[in-house]
Amino acid sequence: RLRQATYMAGSGTTSLTFSYGVGRGDYAPTGVVAGGAVRLAAFSSLGDAAGNAARLALTNSVRTTARVDGRVAVVQALAGPPAGTYRVGANLVFRVTFSRPVFVTGTPGIDLGFGAIGRTATYVRGSGTRTLVFSYRVQPGDSASGVTLGSAIVGGLLRDSLGNSASSGLPG
């Protein structure tokens, strides 16, 4: 997809500097291509000291070595414990699989509901992989009618290897 860089500096010189901030979803794994034409804002001009207008079409496209990856890691699957009845002290394990490896900072969790009682499954392992594992130990008073899951991973920070924040939303 075509993106537009913003003029930053260079007036009065032979070289202009443009800047572009990588946006969510931007992806150029083999390098960014600069080419096309310089577009001017309304009531703007570009020319030399003698007043000659500059040619705005770029004669060559250039592939830079700058690689861009603004894609966000998203949850692809959520697996919970098998259906059944669990006694106090039983461990319920939840696995959250992302579209790409994520790295964990802090202690994320998944909110759980046992009727009117709120609990949290805590992060156990998986930083640097596509699958994070969360665990919850059944406590006295947890409802036998089942567990409901929150809509997102809460707390902690989840990022990919480039530092992009991962989506924490869980499938409904």
Side-chain angles (χ1 to χ4, degrees):
R1 248 170 52 185
L2 183 63
R3 301 286 193 265
Q4 189 165 344
T6 303
Y7 168 74
M8 299 301 290
S11 182
T13 70
T14 60
S15 179
L16 302 179
T17 301
F18 292 83
S19 176
Y20 173 75
V22 175
R24 188 175 188 156
D26 288 350
Y27 185 61
T30 59
V32 174
V33 176
V38 174
R39 294 186 191 154
L40 299 178
F43 308 106
S44 298
S45 64
L46 184 61
D48 63 18
N52 300 310
R55 287 188 305 211
L56 300 179
L58 301 176
T59 56
N60 295 318
S61 292
V62 176
R63 181 174 300 280
T64 70
T65 57
R67 295 182 183 149
V68 170
D69 189 348
R71 297 174 302 168
V72 175
V74 295
V75 174
Q76 290 186 317
L78 170 63
T85 301
Y86 294 87
R87 299 183 187 278
V88 170
N91 200 34
L92 305 181
V93 176
F94 301 87
R95 288 178 174 77
V96 180
T97 302
F98 287 84
S99 57
R100 60 195 312 174
V102 294
F103 293 83
V104 176
T105 303
T107 309
I110 299 174
D111 287 337
L112 306 174
F114 292 90
I117 298 173
R119 307 279 194 206
T120 302
T122 56
Y123 168 73
V124 176
R125 66 181 175 277
S127 185
T129 71
R130 289 183 55 222
T131 302
L132 301 182
V133 178
F134 296 81
S135 178
Y136 173 75
R137 188 168 309 277
V138 177
Q139 299 176 35
D142 290 345
S143 170
S145 63
V147 60
T148 57
L149 299 176
S151 60
I153 296 172
V154 295
L157 289 174
L158 306 177
R159 298 189 182 279
D160 68 13
S161 63
L162 298 174
N164 297 318
S165 293
S167 173
S168 61
L170 298 173

